[in-house]
Each structure stands twice: as structure tokens, then as C-alpha cells.
């Protein structure tokens, strides 16, 4: 009623009218589903094949899309099993909305593929209609921050050729006459958004797949998944058991939606998602609503889907009802959604069992992401990895200590649901299930149960990554501890009051420079001009040992790491297509265990200190350039404790990493801080690291190659040593780069965070991957991969020969393009060369 002026066509009151409409729709769906299931109970399923290359479980959006795309890759011996009928799970009641713009470049690309499949590809292939309706989409902004987010989406859309417009309230009223626009700041209108018909889409996908040789079997519930252990002790999928027989297969794809957790349990796989009831209503006929765009009112947390001459209205509240018993057969008739801990889907091969793939947990976006994710999942299964950067969706992003922790799954999934329509700010952090994984700076005090942290007492505002608590930045206002999750006051849980950490986060919710910008500036400038210490324990550390360690190193690492013990080499690890899976440093150790007492069991803590004079007072080793050159390491004594010192730096200045056994971390830290007092030492966090490190120009994903990223120097191309991805790099080098990373600086003091569109002579050629304000040069700096609009080679001359602009929230800014970092381009500072 707040948004729309509706002509009443029923004798019932408005509230009773909605309830009546919902009950009418529910009963109709229930009867239809009951009759369908009743008939199916007397119909035998198709004969099960004895074996299959892949068995997809679940006949909803993801299952049907995955099956279809597996067939498009040439796989024919594939089977889809559905416990009831196609779309009988979450998919049958989904709104089927497709919005093309989201605050993620990967998701924009995934959505584009879904739209292409549904709106044209399937119909061309099958001559069947999917039910696609292109009625447009309208996002409503009730405040400035929301409208700023929409402006960011509009600018990103220009990089992908997506038509969109930010409308004033008056323009919105012209477009949607029924809408009350008195309290609007504006709207985002995307004309080519639309609506998918879940049943029509899945039916067409299944028919296209069966035409290519796939088998679809309905009314065939899975009762078990058998796993075998191979000669190396690795668990692998063996067969799928159903009520109608067994299928031998090396590969299972769990697309079971809210039932995915139960299916995972059959194979011993943790599937960290929570099912929640989701309410929606369907109105009766509304005069004048025909052909209007679908609407999302994010601030009211509701969506309005055009349904003929009526609306389907649903939303996301702070107190959803958890669905705890997903084994109930009748629960299929309820409106339920599955949510995950970080509001991202669960995809890829489970770490517990080889051949067990996940395609579930889509946080109410399974229909719109289904085409893109189905394609990536099929490629993952067929080729061992996806084509796009799907690290944010990969089930392996979660540590095993989290995926079987019910408190973590429940709290974090609830927060995902409650914040489903929240503005996506650059510096947001979760409040749920914090302090799950901590480093040696966290210690539980005998007097209380909560962890005490020496950095927190100095004002550290922590970030959470993969369950780890890591320093974000240091607040001048004193400690801001993270408290137990209060479910935003739902379920009779007392809401946290005087919650300083939450209040600090709230002040960070802006697309302008955050209020703590100056504190981060001080950390950065202290690192540049004095000395700073960083706790980098969050970084992963691995030991490569064994008689074939050298062979493995030659194959895995792009650089030649066969150096003398005590050397450290910066290198990349690639996939078969030449994409960078990781950039890392490799340090050669003495072969004797006696020479490296810091074993994997020592739970190493890292401190990065960027001052030779300070460390010379703490370490018992000569730190001069001759005695301790850049990119070397050695065991030294620090305040009476053995540590491994590595002369490296992630922040562009001369510095050392100290790898310290857990029990020695605090004593060494206190010794460093005491010695550094006279040098003006300060603590610094990852927000400072982000700002300091961006000038080195690295932004890497698995779909970027070292040649595109400016890291050709890490590749041993001049040797004859083969390494993983080398052939792809040689082919790319011969053909010429079709995309290239470029550094951009903006003279105007304006905040940018990534996703800003890049224009070359007014033509979009890409978008910024990341951007930070660089305090040392007092400019905004950003990096993005640019393409030639004609599809040609992106040469250095292509970059130098034209003018560039960046678009931020609909406003363009002149930018200077750099092929090398504008700060210390020769990397002299990290080598101790100043002046």
C-alpha cells in the first residue's frame, strides 16, 4: 500500500484480499501437485541404466541447466534423477526473476549467459518456448546510499553493454503510473530484465538434454550414495542407490536444493546450508498493472513480480522460520529457500569425496544464476575446473572446521537471509559467528570465556576472512570487540546494545571516503616514512617435501625455484589454460630437518616489519644488504626465540617477514614493539596493505594469465623446463594479448572501489578490478584488464595512443593510463635502495 495505488476489484478488505488470493493460489498449487504425485505413485520410473558417466540429482533449475550443459559439451551417458517431478522442489515456487546487474563482474557474466539460454538459445534449438517475458526491471531507492549503489551498477553495466537508466521520481512515475513516488530518491531501470517460467524453462532444458542423449528419470528418490577408497586412500563416488535400483557412476552432482544437506550425508560430505521458509502472496487482478516492469524495493526488502494482470509479492525478513526437518515429504508444497554462510552458492568438487560435485545453496538466486552456473559446473566436471573465476562459489573456500559447525552454519546463513537485500558496501563485515579461527594474538583468559587480543586492546578493528579474524585497521577510539551474534534481535535473542564494533561498521557504510580514512592514511604513511608492523598470520603456508619435491616444484611453479638453500623466489602457479591459480613465494630450505625447526605443526605466526634499524636491535643477525640480501631467508634469534626471517615485503618497502612458532609469537611481538617505540612504530592492518600493495599492480584470478597481468618475469620461458600451463602461455605469446592489465590514476580526489567502467576514447573497454586511494602519491589508483573492442591485440601502443576515462556512479573522470606502477616502478625500495 505504501508503493502502489490499486483499484479495488474485490469485495474483501485489502488485507483479507491478499490472504484470500494467497490461499486460493496455494490450494490450486496443492491440488495440482497432489494429483500429479498421486498419479506418479502408480507409474513406474523409466528403467535405470546400470551405469552413467555423471548422475545429476535434483530436477530443478540447477539440475536441468547442468544436465543441458553437460550434453552441450558432448557427454551423452548422463542421467538426471528427480525424487518427485521436475521443479518439484524450490524451483516450482520461485519468482523466476532475472536481473542483469549485480555488484560482481563474475555474476553479471553468469546472469548474461542465463538470459541468453532462456531468451533465445533454447527456443532456437528446440522450437519450444521457455516462457521468457522481457518486461524490464525496476530497482527502488529510498535513500542516497541505495541510489549510489544503483549508479555503481549502471556504470558497471556499461562495461558489459547492458542498457540501464537511473530515473528521477517523476520519470519513474511516467514509467510506472501506479507507483507512489513521493518518498523515492530515484530508481534504476533495466529494460531488458525479465521473468522466466520455472516449469517451462526446466521442461525445455530437459527435452533439449534428452534430445542430445541424456536420460531424465522422475519419481525416483535417491536412497544412498556408495563411496569407495582407492589404493591411495582417497574416497571416490562408486554408485547411486535409488528406490528402483542402482547406478554405477564415478560422478554425482548434488543439485538437490534444500535437500542437499541430506544428500551430502549419504556420501559423508558436509553441505553447509540452511533451509528457511519463504513467504509470498499472489494478488488478484490489478487494473493497469499489465506490462509493467518487475520491481525490487530493497529497502523494504520486497520484490514484486508481474504475473499477467496480477503481482506476486515476496520479501526477506529478519526472523525467517528455519526449516529443520527437510526429510518431510509433504514439505515440497511450502515455499522454502536455502541460504549459505556467505550468501554465495556451493559449487565444485567436495574435498571429502572425489567425484561428488555440488550445485546448491543459491540464496534465492538459483533460477537467474542457473544458466551461467550450470555451464560452469558442467565445465568443472568435464575439464576439472570452470572457465570463469568461481573461487567465491567453490565449496573448498570453507575450512572443514566450519562446514561441520552447526552454530556457524545457522548464524551465518541467517545473516545472509536477513541481509539478502542490503546495500553491498565495500567494507562490510559479518556480525555472525565471529572468532571461529584465531591466531596466537587471541588468548582465552582464565577469568572469562571470550578471547582477549593484544591487538584489539590497541584498537584493532578486525575483518573476517574464511573464518579467520585478521586485523583490518586500528581505531583511535580504543577496543571494539566482536560480540556474540544477536540475530538482529529476532527469536527473543536480546539485541546487543552499545555495540561499538557494529557502530564502527555502520559508519563505514558509504560509497564516499569512509570516516576512518585518516586512520588508514596514518598507517600507510607510517609504513612509508617510519615503521609499521603487520600481523600476517592469515597467509597460508605449505611445505613441499619428499624425494620428488624438485620435480614437483619444476612442474608446479612458473619460476625457476632451483636456487641455493636460503633463497626465496616469487612465482605463480597456473592451471592448464595458463590462468593464475596462485601467486606466492617459494623458499628453499636445507634438506636436513635440523636446519628448519619451524615445522608445519608449529602453527607459524607472521609479522611483517619494514625497518632494518629496528630489527637489527631485535635479531642476532647482520641485516645489511650484503649479509641479508633481498629475497633470502635464514633462521635467526629474536628476543631469545628462534624464528625464520625472510626479506620480503608486500607493501613496497624494505621489510622482513618473521615466521614465528605459536608459543613465541607474543614475546617476539612485544620485543619488536618495545624496540620500535623510538622509531615511531605503529600497528597496521589489511586495509593499509590493500592501499600500499595496489601500487605494485597485481590483481590475479584463475582466468588471468601472467602475460596479461604483467608477470611474464615470473615464468621460466627462456629455459626448456616444462611447467603446468606453459603451452597455453606460449600460444598466447605467439598470438598476442587480447587483454592486458593497465594501471589508472585519477587526479581528482574521488573514492573508487572497483567495478568502475573504463572508456578509451569514449568506448567501453573494461572495468576496474580493484581500486584504492594511494596516500603516498595522494591519488586514486586502480587496475583493470582492458580489451580491444574490435577483438584485436591489446599492445602497449593501444594503451598509449588514446585518452582514457573512468566512470564512477554515472560521472566520468579523466584518467592517466600506466603500463608500469607510477610509484617506484623499478622496485628499488624493497631492495633497500632509496634516494
Amino acid at each position: 500500500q505504501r508503493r502502489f495505488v490499486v483499484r479495488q476489484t474485490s469485495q474483501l478488505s485489502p488485507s483479507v484480499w491478499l490472504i484470500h488470493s494467497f490461499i486460493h493460489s496455494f490450494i490450486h498449487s496443492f491440488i495440482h501437485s497432489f494429483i500429479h504425485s498421486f498419479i506418479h505413485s502408480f507409474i513406474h520410473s523409466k528403467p535405470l541404466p546400470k551405469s552413467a558417466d555423471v548422475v545429476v540429482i535434483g530436477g530443478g533449475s540447477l539440475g536441468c541447466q547442468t544436465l543441458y550443459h553437460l550434453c552441450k559439451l558432448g557427454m551423452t551417458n548422463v542421467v538426471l534423477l528427480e525424487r518427485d517431478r521436475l521443479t518439484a522442489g524450490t524451483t516450482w515456487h520461485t519468482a523466476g526473476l532475472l536481473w542483469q546487474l549485480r555488484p560482481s563482474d563474475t555474476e553479471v557474466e553468469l546472469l548474461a549467459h542465463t538470459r541468453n539460454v532462456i531468451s533465445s538459445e533454447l527456443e532456437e534449438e528446440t522450437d519450444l518456448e521457455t516462457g521468457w517475458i522481457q518486461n524490464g526491471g525496476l530497482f527502488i531507492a529510498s535513500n542516497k546510499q541505495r541510489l549510489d549503489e544503483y549508479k555503481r551498477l549502471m556504470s558497471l553495466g556499461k562495461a558489459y553493454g547492458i542498457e540501464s537508466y537511473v530515473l528521477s521520481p517523476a520519470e519513474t512515475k511516467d514509467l510506472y503510473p501506479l507507483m507512489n513516488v513521493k518518498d523515492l530518491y530515484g530508481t534504476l531501470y533495466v529494460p531488458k530484465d525479465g521473468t522466466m517460467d520455472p516449469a517451462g524453462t526446466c521442461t525445455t532444458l530437459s527435452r533439449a538434454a534428452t534430445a542430445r542423449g541424456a536420460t531424465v528419470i522422475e519419481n525416483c528418490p535417491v536412497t544412498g550414495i556408495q563411496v569407495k577408497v582407492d589404493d591411495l586412500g582417497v574416497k571416490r563416488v562408486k554408485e547411486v542407490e535409488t528406490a528402483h535400483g542402482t547406478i554405477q557412476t564415478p560422478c554425482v552432482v548434488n543439485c538437490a536444493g534444500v535437500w542437499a544437506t541430506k544428500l551430502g550425508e549419504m556420501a559423508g560430505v558436509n553441505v553447509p546450508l540452511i533451509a528457511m521458509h519463504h513467504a509470498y502472496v499472489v494478488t488478484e487482478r490489478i487494473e493497469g498493472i499489465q506490462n509493467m516492469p518487475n520491481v525490487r524495493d530493497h529497502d523494504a526488502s520486497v520484490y514484486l513480480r508481474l504475473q499477467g494482470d496480477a503481482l506476486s509479492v515476496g520479501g526477506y525478513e529478519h526472523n525467517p522460520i528455519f526449516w529443520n526437518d527437510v526429510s518431510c515429504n509433504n514439505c515440497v508444497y511450502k515455499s522454502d529457500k536455502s541460504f549459505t554462510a556467505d550468501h554465495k552458492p556451493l559449487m565444485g568438487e567436495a574435498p571429502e569425496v572425489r567425484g561428488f560435485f555440488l550445485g546448491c545453496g543459491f540464496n534465492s538466486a538459483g533460477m537467474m544464476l542457473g544458466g551461467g552456473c550450470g555451464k560452469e559446473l558442467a565445465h568443472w566436471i568435464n575439464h576439472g575446473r570452470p572457465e570463469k573465476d568461481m573461487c567465491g562459489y567453490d565449496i573448498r573456500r570453507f575450512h572443514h572446521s566450519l562446514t561441520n559447525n552447526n552454530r556457524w552454519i545457522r548464524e551465518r546463513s541467517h545473516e545472509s537471509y536477513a541481509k539478502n537485500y542490503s546495500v553491498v558496501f565495500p567494507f562490510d563485515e559479518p556480525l555472525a559467528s565471529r572468532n571461529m579461527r584465531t591466531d596466537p594474538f587471541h588468548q582465552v583468559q582464565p577469568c572469562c570465556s571470550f578471547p582477549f587480543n593484544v591487538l584489539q586492546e590497541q584498537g584493532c578493528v578486525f575483518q573476517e576472512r574464511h573464518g579467520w579474524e585478521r586485523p583490518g585497521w586500528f581505531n583511535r577510539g580504543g577496543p571494539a570487540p566482536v560480540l556474540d551474534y544477536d540475530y538482529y534481535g529476532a527469536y527473543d535473542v536480546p539485541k546487543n546494545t552499545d555495540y561499538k564494533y557494529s557502530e564502527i561498521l555502520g559508519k563505514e557504510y558509504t560509497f564516499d571516503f569512509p570516516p576512518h580514512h585518516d586512520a588508514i592514511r596514518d598507517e600507510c604513511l607510517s609504513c612509508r616514512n617510519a615503521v609499521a608492523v603487520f600481523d600476517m598470520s592469515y597467509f597460508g603456508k605449505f611445505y613441499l617435501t619428499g624425494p620428488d619435491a624438485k620435480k614437483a616444484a619444476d612442474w608446479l611453479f612458473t619460476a625457476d625455484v632451483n636456487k641455493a638453500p636460503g633463497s626465496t623466489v616469487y612465482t605463480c602457479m597456473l592451471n592448464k589454460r595458463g590462468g593464475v591459480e596462485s601467486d606466492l613465494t617459494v623458499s628453499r630450505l636445507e634438506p636436513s630437518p635440523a636446519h628448519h625447526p619451524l615445522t608445519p605443526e608449529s602453527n607459524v605466526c607472521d609479522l611483517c616489519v619494514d625497518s632494518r634499524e629496528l630489527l637489527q636491535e631485535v635479531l642476532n643477525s647482520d641485516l645489511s644488504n650484503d649479509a641479508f640480501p633481498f629475497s633470502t631467508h635464514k633462521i635467526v634469534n629474536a628476543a631469545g626465540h628462534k624464528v625464520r626471517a625472510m626479506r620480503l615485503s608486500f607493501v613496497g618497502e624494505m621489510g622482513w617477514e618473521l615466521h614465528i612458532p605459536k608459543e613465541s609469537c607474543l614475546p617476539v611481538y612485544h620485543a619488536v614493539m618495545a624496540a620500535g617505540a623510538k622509531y615511531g612504530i605503529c600497528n597496521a592492518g589489511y586495509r593499509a596493505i590493500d592501499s600500499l600493495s595496489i601500487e605494485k599492480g597485481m590483481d590475479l584470478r584463475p582466468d588471468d594469465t601472467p602475460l596479461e597481468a604483467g608477470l611474464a618475469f615470473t615464468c621460466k620461458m627462456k629455459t626448456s623446463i616444462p611447467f603446468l600451463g606453459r603451452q597455453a602461455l606460449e600460444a598466447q605469446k605467439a598470438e598476442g594479448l587480447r587483454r592486458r592489465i593497465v594501471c589508472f590514476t585519477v587526479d581528482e580526489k574521488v573514492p573508487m572501489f572497483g567495478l568502475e567502467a573504463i572508456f578509451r576514447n569514449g568506448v567501453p573497454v573494461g572495468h576496474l578490478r580493484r581500486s584504492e586511494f594511494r596516500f603516498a602519491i595522494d591519488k586514486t589508483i586502480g587496475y583493470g584488464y582492458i580489451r580491444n573492442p574490435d577483438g584485436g591485440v591489446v599492445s602497449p601502443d593501444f594503451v598509449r595512443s588514446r585518452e582514457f576515462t573512468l566512470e564512477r556512479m554515472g560521472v566520468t573522470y579523466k584518467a592517466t593510463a600506466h603500463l608500469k606502477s607510477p610509484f617506484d616502478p623499478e622496485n628499488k625500495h624493497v631492495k633497500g635502495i632509496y634516494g
Side-chain angles (χ1 to χ4, degrees):
Q1 291 178 352
R2 183 171 74 90
R3 286 285 178 224
F4 298 95
V5 180
V6 179
R7 296 182 178 88
Q8 187 69 34
T9 59
S10 171
Q11 297 301 313
L12 303 174
S13 67
S15 58
V16 176
W17 171 57
L18 286 176
I19 295 171
H20 163 75
S21 182
F22 171 70
I23 293 175
H24 175 78
S25 176
F26 176 82
I27 292 175
H28 180 271
S29 298
F30 180 85
I31 293 174
H32 179 272
S33 300
F34 177 80
I35 294 173
H36 193 288
S37 298
F38 182 79
I39 294 173
H40 265 256
S41 66
F42 292 96
I43 299 176
H44 293 294
S45 297
K46 297 177 184 177
L48 265 69
K50 293 183 179 180
S51 64
D53 294 330
V54 181
V55 174
V56 179
I57 303 174
S61 169
L62 258 296
C64 292
Q65 290 278 11
T66 302
L67 184 77
Y68 170 71
H69 284 92
L70 284 170
C71 291
K72 290 202 70 175
L73 290 176
M75 301 185 72
T76 57
N77 187 21
V78 290
V79 176
L80 185 146
L81 302 178
E82 165 54 46
R83 64 191 296 274
D84 191 339
R85 67 196 189 284
L86 295 183
T87 75
T90 300
T91 301
W92 81 270
H93 58 73
T94 185
L97 301 169
L98 193 150
W99 320 97
Q100 295 179 83
L101 294 176
R102 286 169 77 96
S104 160
D105 54 353
T106 298
E107 291 188 359
V108 168
E109 294 170 9
L110 295 173
L111 291 167
H113 183 71
T114 299
R115 187 183 181 283
N116 181 60
V117 169
I118 302 303
S119 66
S120 60
E121 182 178 301
L122 272 177
E123 188 170 343
E124 292 171 1
E125 182 174 341
T126 65
D127 289 328
L128 298 173
E129 293 187 2
T130 62
W132 166 254
I133 301 173
Q134 185 176 294
N135 59 314
L138 193 65
F139 287 180
I140 292 174
S142 299
N143 55 67
K144 179 183 180 300
Q145 291 176 331
R146 183 69 73 178
L147 192 59
D148 284 347
E149 181 182 42
Y150 294 164
K151 290 177 181 178
R152 277 173 53 80
L153 294 179
M154 178 185 67
S155 292
L156 174 62
K158 291 180 181 180
Y160 284 98
I162 297 173
E163 181 185 3
S164 66
Y165 307 93
V166 171
L167 305 181
S168 68
E171 291 170 326
T172 303
K173 185 72 173 179
D174 291 339
L175 175 69
Y176 207 128
L178 293 180
M179 185 175 293
N180 174 12
V181 300
K182 292 181 179 179
D183 59 347
L184 295 189
Y185 268 66
T187 56
L188 176 68
Y189 175 51
V190 186
K192 295 182 180 178
D193 284 354
T195 311
M196 298 171 283
D197 171 45
T201 296
C202 290
T203 298
T204 307
L205 285 166
S206 66
R207 290 187 181 182
T210 53
R212 291 173 177 264
T215 302
V216 176
I217 303 177
E218 298 178 286
N219 196 38
C220 185
V222 172
T223 57
I225 298 174
Q226 294 300 315
V227 174
K228 64 182 179 181
V229 179
D230 66 17
D231 294 339
L232 298 177
V234 177
K235 293 182 179 179
R236 298 181 181 276
V237 170
K238 179 183 178 183
E239 58 190 21
V240 176
E241 298 172 341
T242 78
H244 302 287
T246 299
I247 304 175
Q248 293 184 347
T249 183
C251 182
V252 163
V253 190
N254 183 353
C255 297
V258 294
W259 289 274
T261 298
K262 296 291 184 183
L263 200 67
E265 290 173 356
M266 295 179 184
V269 171
N270 293 321
V271 182
L273 60 78
I274 290 289
M276 299 178 190
H277 294 309
H278 173 68
Y280 70 96
V281 297
V282 180
T283 72
E284 291 184 346
R285 184 176 186 274
I286 301 174
E287 183 64 33
I289 204 74
Q290 296 89 340
N291 301 317
M292 289 294 101
N294 301 313
V295 175
R296 259 189 180 179
D297 188 340
H298 288 94
D299 296 309
S301 198
V302 297
Y303 61 82
L304 300 98
R305 172 193 186 271
L306 186 69
Q307 194 158 317
D309 54 5
L311 290 175
S312 174
V313 184
Y316 300 89
E317 63 282 5
H318 281 181
N319 60 339
I321 300 173
F322 291 97
W323 184 19
N324 295 315
D325 183 14
V326 295
S327 62
C328 172
N329 288 331
N330 291 329
C331 288
V332 65
Y333 304 116
K334 296 180 181 178
S335 176
D336 303 287
K337 305 286 185 181
S338 56
F339 279 75
T340 64
D342 60 357
H343 204 256
K344 298 293 183 184
L346 307 177
M347 293 180 62
E349 191 173 31
E352 299 97 332
V353 179
R354 292 289 180 87
F356 191 101
F357 285 81
L358 298 175
C360 51
F362 275 79
N363 304 277
S364 198
M367 199 72 203
M368 70 176 81
L369 289 173
C373 287
K375 179 184 178 184
E376 294 303 313
L377 190 53
H379 201 277
W380 217 326
I381 294 164
N382 199 32
H383 297 286
R385 58 160 291 103
E387 288 187 292
K388 297 187 185 300
D389 171 32
M390 302 296 285
C391 291
Y393 288 15
D394 194 328
I395 181 60
R396 295 173 298 173
R397 68 189 184 272
F398 296 132
H399 192 260
H400 63 80
S401 65
L402 301 177
T403 57
N404 63 1
N405 186 308
N406 289 331
R407 175 199 159 198
W408 176 80
I409 298 169
R410 191 177 185 88
E411 289 186 1
R412 289 292 298 271
S413 298
H414 169 269
E415 190 171 29
S416 290
Y417 186 100
K419 295 179 68 174
N420 190 43
Y421 277 0
S422 295
V423 177
V424 180
F425 289 108
F427 304 119
D428 196 10
E429 295 292 334
L431 296 176
S433 280
R434 297 292 295 270
N435 296 311
M436 300 299 291
R437 303 175 74 190
T438 57
D439 62 29
F441 286 99
H442 285 72
Q443 294 182 336
V444 177
Q445 301 300 298
C447 63
C448 48
S449 60
F450 63 85
F452 171 86
N453 186 282
V454 295
L455 299 182
Q456 178 179 287
E457 292 305 299
Q458 299 176 72
C460 182
V461 179
F462 282 91
Q463 299 175 333
E464 186 273 347
R465 298 294 183 272
H466 308 290
W468 280 105
E469 297 293 323
R470 72 179 197 182
W473 57 281
F474 285 79
N475 174 40
R476 297 163 181 164
V482 181
L483 305 180
D484 287 343
Y485 187 49
D486 63 2
Y487 285 90
Y488 293 90
Y491 316 118
D492 296 322
V493 177
K495 191 172 178 62
N496 289 324
T497 58
D498 299 322
Y499 192 179
K500 188 173 182 179
Y501 181 84
S502 180
E503 292 171 1
I504 290 173
L505 281 187
K507 294 176 182 177
E508 295 274 284
Y509 291 167
T510 177
F511 293 108
D512 203 340
F513 288 115
H516 308 103
H517 186 69
D518 291 347
I520 298 164
R521 176 201 61 196
D522 292 347
E523 294 176 24
C524 293
L525 294 183
S526 179
C527 179
R528 287 285 177 248
N529 304 321
V531 57
V533 58
F534 301 86
D535 173 17
M536 301 176 69
S537 304
Y538 162 78
F539 275 27
K541 290 161 282 289
F542 301 89
Y543 282 74
L544 182 63
T545 63
D548 288 331
K550 179 184 179 300
K551 291 181 181 179
D554 285 342
W555 177 247
L556 291 173
F557 305 129
T558 59
D560 186 358
V561 297
N562 290 303
K563 309 295 183 181
S567 64
T568 298
V569 178
Y570 175 67
T571 183
C572 293
M573 297 174 68
L574 311 182
N575 52 49
K576 187 177 181 180
R577 295 190 301 137
V580 180
E581 294 288 340
S582 175
D583 69 313
L584 65 159
T585 57
V586 176
S587 298
R588 185 74 180 269
L589 305 179
E590 293 282 358
S592 172
H595 290 87
H596 54 97
L598 304 182
T599 64
E601 291 75 27
S602 62
N603 199 349
V604 176
C605 171
D606 292 351
L607 291 177
C608 181
V609 186
D610 61 336
S611 171
R612 176 158 37 206
E613 290 78 9
L614 185 161
L615 278 183
Q616 193 65 78
E617 298 182 19
V618 179
L619 306 183
N620 69 337
S621 179
D622 183 355
L623 302 183
S624 65
N625 285 337
D626 292 336
F628 206 141
F630 174 70
S631 205
T632 63
H633 65 92
K634 62 178 68 174
I635 298 293
V636 299
N637 185 289
H641 300 265
K642 280 189 175 182
V643 306
R644 185 178 302 281
M646 295 185 179
R647 189 169 166 195
L648 298 168
S649 173
F650 279 87
V651 294
E653 298 293 337
M654 179 177 62
W656 277 262
E657 288 184 10
L658 303 181
H659 292 226
I660 312 166
K662 181 178 180 180
E663 63 277 5
S664 301
C665 184
L666 283 177
V668 172
Y669 169 75
H670 288 307
V672 169
M673 296 302 289
K678 61 186 176 184
Y679 297 99
I681 193 170
C682 81
N683 289 296
Y686 275 79
R687 291 274 288 276
I689 290 176
D690 289 341
S691 174
L692 292 163
S693 64
I694 194 172
E695 64 201 13
K696 296 294 103 179
M698 289 177 290
D699 187 273
L700 298 169
R701 300 197 310 203
D703 50 349
D704 305 323
T705 73
L707 305 186
E708 296 167 341
L711 295 176
F713 68 91
T714 67
C715 302
K716 49 185 178 243
M717 304 290 282
K718 294 181 180 180
T719 75
S720 60
I721 303 173
F723 59 88
L724 182 59
R726 176 167 183 154
Q727 288 185 335
L729 295 189
E730 289 173 339
Q732 186 180 54
K733 184 178 179 180
E735 180 182 312
L737 299 182
R738 298 298 196 241
R739 57 200 291 269
R740 179 188 294 270
I741 196 168
V742 177
C743 171
F744 297 95
T745 54
V746 178
D747 290 336
E748 296 180 63
K749 192 170 184 179
V750 57
M752 295 186 181
F753 307 103
L755 303 184
E756 292 79 11
I758 303 170
F759 293 85
R760 177 180 179 269
N761 275 21
V763 178
V765 291
H767 64 275
L768 294 186
R769 282 275 192 85
R770 60 180 294 217
S771 183
E772 299 280 346
F773 191 79
R774 280 298 299 111
F775 298 98
I777 60 177
D778 200 33
K779 291 182 181 180
T780 293
I781 183 172
Y783 284 84
Y785 288 81
I786 67 170
R787 296 180 180 273
N788 188 328
D790 298 331
V793 172
V794 180
S795 64
D797 285 341
F798 179 86
V799 177
R800 298 189 190 102
S801 61
R802 294 292 186 271
E803 293 184 353
F804 286 87
T805 56
L806 303 178
E807 181 174 312
R808 169 191 179 267
M809 298 196 304
V811 180
T812 58
Y813 298 87
K814 186 176 180 179
T816 303
H818 308 266
L819 290 171
K820 282 190 174 184
S821 168
F823 180 87
D824 189 24
E826 304 302 323
N827 292 322
K828 292 182 178 180
H829 287 195
V830 294
K831 300 171 184 175
I833 303 172
Y834 290 85

